[in-house]
Amino acid sequence: MNSEVVNIQAQPKSRFNHIKRTVYKERQLWLLSIPMIIWVFIFSYLPMYGIIIAFMKYIPGRNMFKSQWVGFQHFQTFFHSPDFWHILRNTLAISGLGIVFGFTAPIILALLLNELRLKVFKRVVQTISYLPHFISWVVVASILFAILGNEGFMNDMLMRLGIIDKPIAFLGEGKYFWGLLTATNVWKDVGWSTIIYLSAIAGVDSELYDAGKVDGLGRFGMVWHIILPSIRPTIAVLFILGIGGILNAGFEQQLLIGNSQTREYHEVIDTYAYKYGIQLGNYSYATAIGLLKSVISLVLVLGANRISKKALDTSIL
Amino acid sequence: MSSSSIGIKPTLGSRIFDVCNVVFMLAFMVVMLYPFVNLLAISLNDGVDAARGGIYLFPREFSLESYAFLMKNPKLFDGFVISILRVVVGTVTCVFMTGLLAYIVTIRNFSGRKFMRVLFLITMYFGGGLIPTYLLMVQLGLTNTFNVYWIPGLIQAYYMMLMASYMQGLPEALFESARIDGASELKIYIRVVIPISMPVFAAIAVFSSVGHWNSWFDVILYNSSGTWDTLQTYLRKLLLEVEALQQIQDAQAAYSKYRNISSSTLRAAVTMVVTLPIVVVYPFMQKYFVGGMTLGAVKG
């Protein structure tokens, strides 16, 4: 009742003073926005400005503005460094494997979970599948050392089954690193990543299922013609994000699981920049590498967004 | 809503699929859980005996020596408290601010909507990177303080996007009527948006708290002094010490002091100490991020 009265009174007012009222409303919103703008300026845009040291010979502790300009020298150094190709290879291999397995596995798992008839069982599986996500990389590294070590479960089993004669140094040899890291990443996050898909599946209108039933769709048909199209925006958004992050091949994982024997296979752009920047104090060089990575990522995500917009009519920007 | 639960008559193929699915899920659970079970068994085993290997499900020679060794360490408790503090402060501030931003960018007739959205989305794909950010933290005096754990992570563009996409599904009329009743935007956010968006807020809170709990690198990067060492960094240091211990195990002093502890049992015990709080807490959190994740509540 009350709101109806308000509505009647508000109507002519909105016609005459529409602009004025909008400004009044937006004054509040801008007041809330300003602290956020300041925050994002300091913590996100100031570091972007700090990128200019990539074109300088910045010496820590000295005034940034008095540093010597060196143009693209650091980039050239990186391209010509003997590490460049294997760093690029490792980065693309690890995140490529991550997209092939880490991106598709949760979708499949979510669809399979959705088909479980016993809801209690489904909940139990879900609960257990999330567990590894809550575990830090420090602990995961510790688990890997224990399971894959010389006396660990894996070697012990393989030896008992007679598949191998002596323990395999899974963590001590570079050639296992990509597979190991991909498997570990999937193990850690497959369950967790299903949440977003399951919630999207849960949001599918039940009338669609009824309509599908009328059209005589079976279980597979329901998945293919109703569930998948319904969760397509979610998949598209996550895929765009995945493409944008293709140069993010992991960081803590490499630092915690990798060791000097696996360096040729675990060193990625981020760990390389960390090593040169923080550990060796070569701030300008490391910043240049970081900048290169950001620029490529931005181009990739814009491209993916464009394709998604055209092909799937879904955009994130 | 599952397609199987709306009463399609199960065919033979459908039945076979169900059986395979259940078998797959059982195997899947074993893969997810076994590493923890294995480590628990090792952690509860006698150290010298564990070095022989071959412990699968149960400890062979039961011993609490490794845990006793850990509990004697007061730094473990400090790390635990700092970790909890970080999770609580970091999560509450991040969810509140990110949610507020998500609300602002979902208001359809707000002229700054697109600007704010883009301003933050840019940060998702383009940042200063590790080094400029690190140098900024040094210049702001945030290094070696507790504040470095929550202030730089106050707003997450990715969470904003998830929250905004949820809020876009909410009926505009709800906010409009509150506005006509004279409620301020902040009040609408707190009184209307947060309660009806609880599923997504809870989910983001879980995301955020997990991130804070698991954080390791920013601690070693920004807290090089070790004053604000969290549980993770403390445990990592201990793991490295264990490695060192293994190397000097032959030395008389180390051998007599940690006679029944081997590197493998201590490592397993450490892993359990940091995992157990999560295992205890997270079934309670689960109902927020899974149970409530339907849009049905809003439609009603």
Side-chain angles (χ1 to χ4, degrees), chain A residues 26 28 45 117 127 136 156, chain B residues 18 56 111 119 185 232 282:
Chain A
E26 295 203 341
Q28 272 193 51
Y45 288 91
R117 286 174 193 276
T127 305
S136 72
D156 204 69
Chain B
D18 277 332
Y56 295 131
S111 66
L119 189 71
E185 294 296 339
Q232 303 292 344
Y282 108 116

Side-chain angles (χ1 to χ4, degrees), chain A residues 101-110 113 129-130 132-133 183-195 197, chain B residues 24 28 32:
Chain A
F101 296 102
F103 177 74
T104 48
I107 301 173
I108 295 166
L109 184 64
L113 278 168
S129 75
Y130 305 145
H133 180 80
T184 311
N185 277 322
V186 171
W187 176 78
K188 195 171 186 296
D189 280 325
V190 66
W192 183 257
S193 309
T194 59
I195 293 178
Y197 294 112
Chain B
F24 170 78
F28 174 73
M32 289 291 131

Side-chain angles (χ1 to χ4, degrees), chain A residues 40-75:
Chain A
V40 79
F41 176 76
I42 293 173
F43 287 98
S44 296
Y45 288 91
L46 264 188
M48 285 186 206
Y49 177 69
I51 285 173
I52 59 167
I53 67 167
F55 306 98
M56 290 173 164
K57 200 172 175 181
Y58 174 72
I59 292 154
R62 208 186 279 180
N63 192 333
M64 202 168 83
F65 300 100
K66 286 177 185 159
S67 298
Q68 188 197 338
W69 289 93
V70 295
F72 288 88
Q73 189 196 305
H74 297 302
F75 296 90

Side-chain angles (χ1 to χ4, degrees), chain A residues 40 44-45 48 237-238 240-242 244-245 248 294 297-298 301 316-317, chain B residues 117-128 155-162:
Chain A
V40 79
S44 296
Y45 288 91
M48 285 186 206
V237 166
L238 291 181
I240 294 168
L241 295 174
N248 297 324
S294 298
S297 297
L298 187 70
V301 81
I316 58 161
L317 295 175
Chain B
R117 193 176 273 249
V118 171
L119 189 71
F120 280 88
L121 278 180
I122 286 171
T123 68
M124 216 158 105
Y125 303 109
F126 202 83
I155 298 171
Q156 302 289 334
Y158 179 58
Y159 298 160
M160 173 199 87
M161 223 179 62
L162 293 179

Side-chain angles (χ1 to χ4, degrees), chain B residues 157-179:
Chain B
Y158 179 58
Y159 298 160
M160 173 199 87
M161 223 179 62
L162 293 179
M163 291 169 120
S165 76
Y166 184 93
M167 289 174 194
Q168 261 152 14
L170 300 175
E172 184 82 357
L174 221 57
F175 312 128
E176 212 49 65
S177 63
R179 251 171 235 139

